Amino acid sequence: MAKNPYSRRTFLKSSASAAALMSLPIPGMTATTGHVRVEWQTFKTTPQYASFLNAIKLMKAVTDASKPTSWTYWVNVHLNYCPHMAPYFFAWHRGYLYYFEQQLRTVSGDSSLTLPYWDYYAHPTIPSEFLDSATGNPLYVSGRQNSNVYNALTMAPFSTQVNNFQRGTSNSYEASFENAPHNPVHDIIGGWMADMQSPTDPIFYLHHANVDRLFDGWAGLARTNYPSPTDSYWNGSFTYASGLTIAKSKTYQPSALGYSYANNSLPTSMPPSAQVGRIIRVQAQIPPIRTRPAIGNFSATGPRSIGNGRRSLGGVANLKLSEHSVSAAVSLASSDVTALQTAVTSTLTTPAATNANPNAQAAPGQAKFAKIVLDTVTVTSLGKQGGYFYNVYVNLPSAGDADPSAQARFVGTIGPFEVSAAMHHAGGTLMLPANDALRGLTPAELKQVVVSLVRVNGDNSPTGVVMSMNELRLELATTAD
């Protein structure tokens, strides 16, 4: 899988001229009202299907990556500007899809063309049109490890308990959905999808149209705590390229951008198990954990200040992850147990407490956010292919059936896509919020925090060392980000 040679600096310097950028429609200045995005199985029966294929072919044929008419231009927009595991994950991508959809219309000459979505909760296998390797098929890319994403799916974000939106709040929909199914879909498919250059693969856009559709459905629920359109959360704008921005307020809901979805209902159950050969798939994103993975023999790292309102309570060094699940134990001093319990029971991270502030923080000196930090994570050449990920848990039961506790103790996922994002945006450091998972544990239970990394595979997955990290630690911090 060749890497895109365009760096952020090169992209910014040689990005398309202002005239070319301004040729794209701007929200509120284009007659897009009434466009309806439909599911792929319906879309491929419409006249717009031919326009879609033609637009992709034409864009892939443009070799100048500084032009919005090229496919690589939009790969670079995502690579250089997208927020991952950060505030506005949903809203930024909504604007990104909007502008990309406008470009498809411009290139194809079809003003009625809309982006289709792939409803993997109904059809967990990549549509066959994307799997056809026939010469000239613009939907096909090599390197995908799996077509069946059933094991990436979970019902967790649609629980009635998930009624807050923003990161830094308890039961955050944005954090929950990005953790899974969003990230694992990238990981399980693999190839380009397991990298920050994931828009190289056309299935990316159908995946994210479905993400946007489910975001729309969730935000419309009466029980949800979603910032109102006049909330300060929507102040400011997003950047996609030099001269190409969008007001955050325009990404509040699809109608503000002139489109809707044929169906924005949330899933109520997992899809029927996908059949591969004679094997019926029964595993899902949160597979049964009959026993907690064994604790590995790792060197301990001590408590210390990390800086910028962050303090490590301890950790372990030099983890290597393979096809085997593993746990790491972090023993805490009594004073740190008290500080940790105070943090995870803080009102700052209960419903609505931080809803007006996407970068929530505690009062000076107050550590209110517990995080599992995976520091300086790297992926091997084998691991970069994708086809797998790890569910991360804290304090699963040490004996007996761990499965009943799995969802309550879940803190996030780690796979090649997450690491690629962390390498690009945060120097290879992943931070997984742990307040919800640690809340309710007694001081005795918090004396030793055991972090379990449970491997989940696609139909095709690598064996051997796929990633390593310099340290896994438990932190307390004054900020949510």
Side-chain angles (χ1 to χ4, degrees), residues 73-97:
Y73 177 92
W74 296 96
V75 175
N76 288 331
V77 168
H78 183 265
L79 178 66
N80 292 313
Y81 288 102
C82 69
H84 282 279
M85 303 186 79
Y88 299 107
F89 162 76
F90 277 117
W92 185 94
H93 281 85
R94 174 168 284 172
Y96 175 62
L97 292 189

Side-chain angles (χ1 to χ4, degrees), residues 27-378:
M29 297 177 65
T30 181
T32 58
T33 303
H35 282 108
V36 179
R37 294 178 181 172
V38 299
E39 210 279 328
W40 177 261
Q41 298 304 320
T42 298
F43 178 80
K44 68 183 183 181
T45 68
T46 69
Q48 284 67 50
Y49 176 58
S51 297
F52 184 64
L53 296 182
N54 186 47
I56 296 175
K57 285 181 181 179
L58 291 172
M59 292 176 74
K60 286 188 172 184
V62 177
T63 58
D64 186 346
S66 70
K67 295 184 181 298
T69 52
S70 77
W71 192 258
T72 306
Y73 177 92
W74 296 96
V75 175
N76 288 331
V77 168
H78 183 265
L79 178 66
N80 292 313
Y81 288 102
C82 69
H84 282 279
M85 303 186 79
Y88 299 107
F89 162 76
F90 277 117
W92 185 94
H93 281 85
R94 174 168 284 172
Y96 175 62
L97 292 189
Y98 170 80
Y99 277 128
F100 179 75
E101 184 178 63
Q102 297 296 320
Q103 190 64 69
L104 289 177
R105 290 183 191 141
T106 299
V107 171
S108 68
D110 185 347
S111 62
S112 62
L113 178 59
T114 58
L115 270 176
Y117 63 89
W118 167 32
D119 183 1
Y120 31 74
Y121 279 94
H123 311 285
T125 299
I126 292 176
S128 60
E129 293 78 12
F130 289 79
L131 305 176
D132 183 355
S133 60
T135 302
N137 178 14
L139 303 178
Y140 177 79
V141 294
S142 62
R144 297 187 189 120
Q145 299 301 297
N146 294 285
S147 59
N148 171 22
V149 299
Y150 185 86
N151 285 4
L153 305 182
T154 173
M155 293 300 296
F158 314 115
S159 164
T160 56
Q161 296 180 7
V162 180
N163 56 8
N164 285 291
F165 179 67
Q166 294 165 229
R167 296 171 190 279
T169 58
S170 178
N171 296 312
S172 161
Y173 178 71
E174 183 166 70
S176 177
F177 191 100
E178 187 180 3
N179 265 323
H182 170 265
N183 291 344
V185 167
H186 279 268
D187 292 321
I188 290 292
I189 293 174
W192 287 111
M193 282 288 280
D195 188 87
M196 281 296 286
Q197 297 178 65
S198 47
T200 301
D201 189 337
I203 200 64
F204 168 94
Y205 292 101
L206 275 72
H207 169 35
H208 266 274
N210 196 49
V211 170
D212 184 62
R213 178 183 74 92
L214 296 175
F215 168 32
D216 181 44
W218 184 89
L221 295 177
R223 64 175 168 81
T224 62
N225 198 342
Y226 183 54
S228 71
T230 57
D231 196 290
S232 61
Y233 180 83
W234 302 106
N235 292 348
S237 62
F238 296 127
T239 297
Y240 299 94
S242 178
L244 188 64
T245 63
I246 196 171
K248 290 178 180 178
S249 59
K250 287 291 185 181
T251 64
Y252 173 73
Q253 60 187 20
S255 61
L257 295 174
Y259 72 92
S260 63
Y261 287 96
N263 180 352
N264 68 355
S265 299
L266 302 181
T268 57
S269 64
M270 290 287 288
S273 298
Q275 183 169 350
V276 180
R278 301 177 67 181
I279 301 174
I280 302 296
R281 302 309 306 262
V282 296
Q283 193 180 36
Q285 193 272 339
I286 304 291
I289 306 173
R290 298 310 176 200
T291 58
R292 186 180 73 186
I295 295 175
N297 184 23
F298 304 114
S299 299
T301 58
R304 66 194 187 279
S305 173
I306 304 297
N308 300 320
R310 296 165 52 192
R311 182 173 182 273
S312 171
L313 304 186
V316 298
N318 301 321
L319 278 77
K320 294 185 185 300
L321 300 180
S322 66
E323 68 272 24
H324 304 295
S325 301
V326 68
S327 296
V330 181
S331 297
L332 305 187
S334 297
S335 58
D336 286 336
V337 170
T338 301
L340 178 60
Q341 189 169 50
T342 299
V344 299
T345 57
S346 166
T347 57
L348 188 63
T349 53
T350 54
T354 60
N355 239 34
N357 184 358
N359 298 299
Q361 61 181 24
Q366 288 185 297
K368 297 293 181 76
F369 300 95
K371 305 173 185 181
I372 303 301
V373 178
L374 312 175
D375 201 1
T376 318
V377 188
T378 58

Side-chain angles (χ1 to χ4, degrees), residues 377-394:
V377 188
T378 58
V379 181
T380 66
S381 57
L382 177 69
K384 287 180 181 178
Q385 299 172 15
Y388 68 95
F389 64 96
Y390 299 86
N391 283 323
V392 184
Y393 305 91
V394 289

Side-chain angles (χ1 to χ4, degrees), residues 405-421:
S405 302
Q407 189 57 62
R409 300 287 166 246
F410 176 71
V411 296
T413 58
I414 176 174
F417 178 78
E418 294 94 316
V419 175
S420 179

